[in-house]
Amino acid sequence: MKYLTATTLVTCILTGVQGFTVPDEAAAALTFYDEMSKVGPTWANALSSWHCPTPAGSSNVSCDPCGVDSWWGNFAHLGCRGGTTQDDATIPGRGIVTNLHVTDEHITGPVPQQTCLFKNLKELDLDGGNLSGTIPEFLTTCFPDLNELDLSYNQLTGTVPAFISAIKTMTELELESNKLTGTIPPELGSMPGLTSIRFENNKMVGTIPSSFRYMVHSNIILFMCLPLCKQNALPI
């Protein structure tokens, strides 16, 4: 099995033969694989399909992470939805990596800064693993247009950081089933697009901030129980 290499990618670009994947995005996938496969066996296993040649008929080149068959790419856990708003996975995107869903793969280590290689991410799901450490601030600078962040069912510690509120495009924030402590930052109440937020099965204390009274989507509170809702159920 021949794995994606820098030589393969550069050769395709220099000869004018490009696949569906935008060249910079293909390079990002290459680098992400190279770096994360060295972190440990769980990452190497999760990314084991990130190799070439990609399936025949899915591209006009031998190494094309996105392909043309759908907006779920040729590499597992990678979606190339591009700028489309289609929910139909059979409709390809624009060769831009927008979704990274490494779910239930028991990945270890901290939330990897290497995810910043994908500059157009809309969804970052690393749930169902054994990630440790705190929620990193680089998420706000690398992904200012993120719609969904799912770090649930890991081993994350520390508090829910207020800086997450800087991502105004966020609609889903899922942090349940970790080891998070502290209180809910009131700044999260200023996130206008949130429709789902989950904190349950952590070690958090305190009450629901009054800033959540002004959030548009009233069903948001349902996902923060328990015990926080018992202590302060807001009449929204």
Side-chain angles (χ1 to χ4, degrees):
M1 181 178 293
K2 182 181 179 182
Y3 283 83
L4 179 63
T5 65
T7 301
T8 303
L9 180 63
V10 171
T11 299
C12 289
I13 294 174
L14 291 179
T15 57
V17 179
Q18 296 181 10
F20 186 68
T21 312
V22 173
D24 286 349
E25 299 288 301
L30 160 68
T31 304
F32 187 78
Y33 169 78
D34 284 346
E35 294 190 8
M36 297 311 301
S37 60
K38 298 174 184 176
V39 170
T42 56
W43 274 104
N45 182 68
L47 303 179
S48 61
S49 68
W50 291 38
H51 62 80
C52 292
T54 43
S58 67
S59 177
N60 62 340
V61 297
S62 60
C63 287
D64 197 356
C66 288
V68 297
D69 291 336
S70 72
W71 59 260
W72 281 113
N74 285 320
F75 290 178
H77 315 299
L78 180 147
C80 300
R81 194 168 182 171
T84 69
T85 56
Q86 298 287 344
D87 289 329
D88 187 349
T90 64
I91 300 175
R94 301 177 183 174
I96 299 170
V97 177
T98 55
N99 298 56
L100 187 64
H101 289 202
V102 186
T103 299
D104 296 330
E105 293 288 347
H106 309 291
I107 50 177
T108 57
V111 177
Q113 191 163 1
Q114 290 89 339
T115 55
C116 292
L117 290 163
F118 302 110
K119 302 181 183 300
N120 299 286
L121 276 190
K122 300 296 184 183
E123 297 181 7
L124 177 60
D125 291 10
L126 302 177
D127 52 307
N130 289 298
L131 295 178
S132 57
T134 58
I135 299 171
E137 191 165 5
F138 67 72
L139 294 173
T140 63
T141 55
C142 292
F143 311 121
D145 299 319
L146 199 65
N147 299 143
E148 177 181 318
L149 176 63
D150 188 350
L151 300 176
S152 62
Y153 294 91
N154 279 291
Q155 303 294 320
L156 298 176
T157 56
T159 61
V160 175
F163 57 68
I164 289 180
S165 64
I167 309 178
K168 300 301 184 184
T169 55
M170 186 87 72
T171 59
E172 297 183 32
L173 176 61
E174 301 179 1
L175 302 175
E176 73 270 20
S177 299
N178 278 286
K179 297 180 179 180
L180 299 173
T181 57
T183 60
I184 300 173
E187 290 85 354
L188 299 189
S190 67
M191 300 175 73
L194 273 179
T195 59
S196 175
I197 184 169
R198 303 189 64 163
F199 295 142
E200 69 267 26
N201 298 322
N202 278 291
K203 299 180 180 180
M204 299 172 67
V205 297
T207 59
I208 299 170
S210 60
S211 59
F212 280 76
R213 293 177 184 270
Y214 308 106
M215 301 186 78
V216 174
H217 305 284
S218 59
N219 63 330
I220 198 171
I221 297 302
L222 298 177
F223 295 99
M224 295 191 292
C225 300
L226 292 167
L228 296 180
C229 290
K230 287 184 176 179
Q231 296 181 40
N232 185 19
L234 293 178
I236 297 198

